[in-house]
Amino acid sequence: MVLPGGELRLIDFDGMFTPGMEGFPAPELGTPEFRHTRRDKGFFNEHIDDYPLALISVSLHALAAFPKLHAERCGGENLIFHPEELIRGTCTLVNRLKDHWVCEGMNDLYRLTSLLSSRSPAIEGLRSIFAALSQAPIPRAEGELDITRRDGFYGFGNIIAPIYDDAAPFSEGLAAVRIMKRRFYIDTRGRKVIDGKGLEDTGSFREGLAAVRKGGKYGYIDTVGNMVVAPMFDQAHAFGEGVAAVGSGGKYGFIDRGGGYRIAPRFDSAEDFRSGVAVVCEGGKYGYIDPDGNYLVEPVFDFASGFRGGRAVAEKGGDKYVLTQNDKTIAYERLLGKDNT
Amino acid sequence: MNGYSARITRKNPSAFIFMVDTSGSMEEKVEFNGSAMSKSGAVASIINATLGEIVARCRREDGYRDYFDIAVIGYGGDDIRSLLPGTETFHTPARLALMRTKTSKIFKTRALPDGREAVAVTEVKEWVQPAALGKTPMYAAMNRAYDLAREWTVKHSGCECFPPVVINITDGEATDASDEDMAKVAAKIRSLDTRDGNVLLFNIYISSAGRQDGVLFPASCGELPDTPHARLLFDMSSPVPEVYSGAVGAITGKSDTAGCRGVSYNASMTDIINMLNIGTISVNLMS
């Protein structure tokens, strides 16, 4: 290379790739402790440093979080990893780290760490992950955390990077997510708040409780993950107006926040309470009850809709009825429609 | 606020459950798109076109959005089964879009002003394959649809979701239950609700080949043939909410669509397409 002053300087191109070198075999392959196991003489392009960059970056992040790893894992030549273990899938440290990043909501670091098991020495998307890593995460309101989907993974807004196999919307500051078979709840910064170990289904939080399934039955957990209503129901609605409809043995009732029955299970079906009224079906007929389980309208209808805007419709013997709610009473009249005149 | 007004978002999605009669009588030949084919073949192709439309409407720059959970249940012989590939019954638009399926080419010719013909070719996915065998276990199928809709509404309880829409396409009467039981299971389905509204149930009864007297969205039983079966289908079907009234008015010519039921009797293949277009009108509520 000729410097501006006319001076000649020799440059060591070993281990380097520039566009003019395309088509030549790689003059060297890099240090085994840092290079991808499939890097060979034929692999010589702008991606030769992808794997070492990812490996060194994850290593430094890991050492910053866990300085003791250096003493445990550094053998002199490497930092904390051995590429052949990573690529063969036998490195246990990498799984512990991924777990930690997920718990801390460091999803971009999780994505980068996942790339260390890449089957190919060329890593697509590395630049975008490094760009995301250099920006500090900003906590946001739930409204800005709509579910997003990229490359088959779910995330939230532009804030919580897409690493989840499944995700439910945020509710009351928490969202249920799943990676493989692991279910847990995260906060609006993406940090794991509740470990859903052993749970087969995780519902959204309403009024501080979420329906979850364990051993085939539904119960409810609180916002710190305690099972406050033991799993014993076949079906469990979200809480609303202080109660939740639950089904067990084909009958439905309503429980309170303590898990005790507010209204004993005697209905064929039951919908949620809204403005103090719920539709239930008993003996094959539909009616409306109050939160104490007393009928506001006896179960006489073949069909009854829920109340919306103070109105509901019902049917009996082919006739249509309109119901109106006034505070705690419900009035209804037969609709003189085209069919009833 | 009388409901059925929720914006459909990824936070508040909705669902479609299509029920398709796959009993032996669906082998009967009908005329569809200018050629003779079985009812089952025509219905499968109409369902596939509808799925294709829903998937296309959910497409955004960054991929397909999970605005809907979609199920297609077939019933025929002793069998109630999902007609979509995979172990799960509900599928998201993204899953449907990525699914490997058979495809078919649709040729549409139109005459150009100068008399020449132009041919447009579109390739469509065939998620659903036609089937026609045995009896009509519509009661069992309705119960399956109820379980699916129930599971969905429970999962979304407390959410402001546009309620699931169940659309049943049949050319016969249930062979596994009485009219009374059919009315009961229909009421069960319709009684399920979200904060936005009760689950909607539409029924489409396909005519025998060649009939041209189909009735769509009748406001009373008087508009239908005076048979117990027609009365049953009318009673089983949901009155169409306000959000459908423009489209229902346009197809029926009625200025007042109050009380019109989501039912079609003696439907031709074209009537089915119209019914499905209107039945899936909630795709217009996507944000």
Side-chain angles (χ1 to χ4, degrees), chain A residues 68-74 96:
Chain A
K68 277 188 182 166
L69 280 177
H70 189 260
E72 288 170 21
R73 302 279 306 187
C74 179
R96 296 207 307 275

PDB file of all heavy atoms in Angstrom, chain A residues 68-74 96:
ATOM      1  N   LYS A  68     -17.228 -14.804  37.142  1.00  0.00           N
ATOM      2  CA  LYS A  68     -16.609 -16.061  37.579  1.00  0.00           C
ATOM      3  C   LYS A  68     -16.445 -17.058  36.446  1.00  0.00           C
ATOM      4  O   LYS A  68     -15.650 -18.006  36.546  1.00  0.00           O
ATOM      5  CB  LYS A  68     -17.475 -16.711  38.668  1.00  0.00           C
ATOM      6  CG  LYS A  68     -17.227 -16.167  40.056  1.00  0.00           C
ATOM      7  CD  LYS A  68     -17.973 -17.009  41.054  1.00  0.00           C
ATOM      8  CE  LYS A  68     -17.786 -16.445  42.459  1.00  0.00           C
ATOM      9  NZ  LYS A  68     -18.760 -17.059  43.376  1.00  0.00           N
ATOM     10  N   LEU A  69     -17.239 -16.871  35.379  1.00  0.00           N
ATOM     11  CA  LEU A  69     -17.164 -17.802  34.252  1.00  0.00           C
ATOM     12  C   LEU A  69     -15.756 -17.871  33.681  1.00  0.00           C
ATOM     13  O   LEU A  69     -15.341 -18.891  33.132  1.00  0.00           O
ATOM     14  CB  LEU A  69     -18.133 -17.372  33.138  1.00  0.00           C
ATOM     15  CG  LEU A  69     -19.602 -17.740  33.322  1.00  0.00           C
ATOM     16  CD1 LEU A  69     -20.425 -17.187  32.168  1.00  0.00           C
ATOM     17  CD2 LEU A  69     -19.759 -19.254  33.404  1.00  0.00           C
ATOM     18  N   HIS A  70     -14.996 -16.766  33.827  1.00  0.00           N
ATOM     19  CA  HIS A  70     -13.661 -16.744  33.231  1.00  0.00           C
ATOM     20  C   HIS A  70     -12.769 -17.815  33.850  1.00  0.00           C
ATOM     21  O   HIS A  70     -12.129 -18.589  33.151  1.00  0.00           O
ATOM     22  CB  HIS A  70     -13.030 -15.360  33.393  1.00  0.00           C
ATOM     23  CG  HIS A  70     -11.753 -15.220  32.620  1.00  0.00           C
ATOM     24  ND1 HIS A  70     -10.518 -15.341  33.204  1.00  0.00           N
ATOM     25  CD2 HIS A  70     -11.535 -15.017  31.302  1.00  0.00           C
ATOM     26  CE1 HIS A  70      -9.584 -15.206  32.282  1.00  0.00           C
ATOM     27  NE2 HIS A  70     -10.182 -15.004  31.114  1.00  0.00           N
ATOM     28  N   ALA A  71     -12.807 -17.843  35.173  1.00  0.00           N
ATOM     29  CA  ALA A  71     -11.990 -18.838  35.873  1.00  0.00           C
ATOM     30  C   ALA A  71     -12.453 -20.265  35.565  1.00  0.00           C
ATOM     31  O   ALA A  71     -11.654 -21.183  35.419  1.00  0.00           O
ATOM     32  CB  ALA A  71     -12.044 -18.576  37.377  1.00  0.00           C
ATOM     33  N   GLU A  72     -13.781 -20.426  35.433  1.00  0.00           N
ATOM     34  CA  GLU A  72     -14.320 -21.771  35.214  1.00  0.00           C
ATOM     35  C   GLU A  72     -14.102 -22.272  33.797  1.00  0.00           C
ATOM     36  O   GLU A  72     -13.901 -23.452  33.574  1.00  0.00           O
ATOM     37  CB  GLU A  72     -15.844 -21.770  35.458  1.00  0.00           C
ATOM     38  CG  GLU A  72     -16.243 -21.644  36.910  1.00  0.00           C
ATOM     39  CD  GLU A  72     -17.745 -21.402  37.043  1.00  0.00           C
ATOM     40  OE1 GLU A  72     -18.494 -21.735  36.091  1.00  0.00           O
ATOM     41  OE2 GLU A  72     -18.150 -20.863  38.078  1.00  0.00           O
ATOM     42  N   ARG A  73     -14.198 -21.364  32.839  1.00  0.00           N
ATOM     43  CA  ARG A  73     -14.340 -21.815  31.459  1.00  0.00           C
ATOM     44  C   ARG A  73     -13.146 -21.489  30.574  1.00  0.00           C
ATOM     45  O   ARG A  73     -13.009 -22.073  29.495  1.00  0.00           O
ATOM     46  CB  ARG A  73     -15.578 -21.169  30.834  1.00  0.00           C
ATOM     47  CG  ARG A  73     -16.862 -21.467  31.563  1.00  0.00           C
ATOM     48  CD  ARG A  73     -17.435 -22.796  31.208  1.00  0.00           C
ATOM     49  NE  ARG A  73     -17.610 -22.961  29.772  1.00  0.00           N
ATOM     50  CZ  ARG A  73     -18.223 -23.983  29.222  1.00  0.00           C
ATOM     51  NH1 ARG A  73     -18.730 -24.938  29.976  1.00  0.00           N
ATOM     52  NH2 ARG A  73     -18.304 -24.087  27.909  1.00  0.00           N
ATOM     53  N   CYS A  74     -12.276 -20.543  30.981  1.00  0.00           N
ATOM     54  CA  CYS A  74     -11.193 -20.142  30.101  1.00  0.00           C
ATOM     55  C   CYS A  74     -10.037 -21.124  30.209  1.00  0.00           C
ATOM     56  O   CYS A  74      -9.481 -21.335  31.288  1.00  0.00           O
ATOM     57  CB  CYS A  74     -10.721 -18.729  30.441  1.00  0.00           C
ATOM     58  SG  CYS A  74      -9.356 -18.208  29.391  1.00  0.00           S
ATOM     59  N   ARG A  96     -27.933 -22.338  29.761  1.00  0.00           N
ATOM     60  CA  ARG A  96     -28.119 -21.559  30.987  1.00  0.00           C
ATOM     61  C   ARG A  96     -28.126 -20.060  30.679  1.00  0.00           C
ATOM     62  O   ARG A  96     -28.903 -19.297  31.231  1.00  0.00           O
ATOM     63  CB  ARG A  96     -27.015 -21.888  31.999  1.00  0.00           C
ATOM     64  CG  ARG A  96     -27.037 -23.334  32.496  1.00  0.00           C
ATOM     65  CD  ARG A  96     -26.431 -23.469  33.895  1.00  0.00           C
ATOM     66  NE  ARG A  96     -25.097 -22.906  34.040  1.00  0.00           N
ATOM     67  CZ  ARG A  96     -23.963 -23.553  33.747  1.00  0.00           C
ATOM     68  NH1 ARG A  96     -23.996 -24.796  33.287  1.00  0.00           N
ATOM     69  NH2 ARG A  96     -22.798 -22.977  33.934  1.00  0.00           N
TER      70      ARG A  96
END
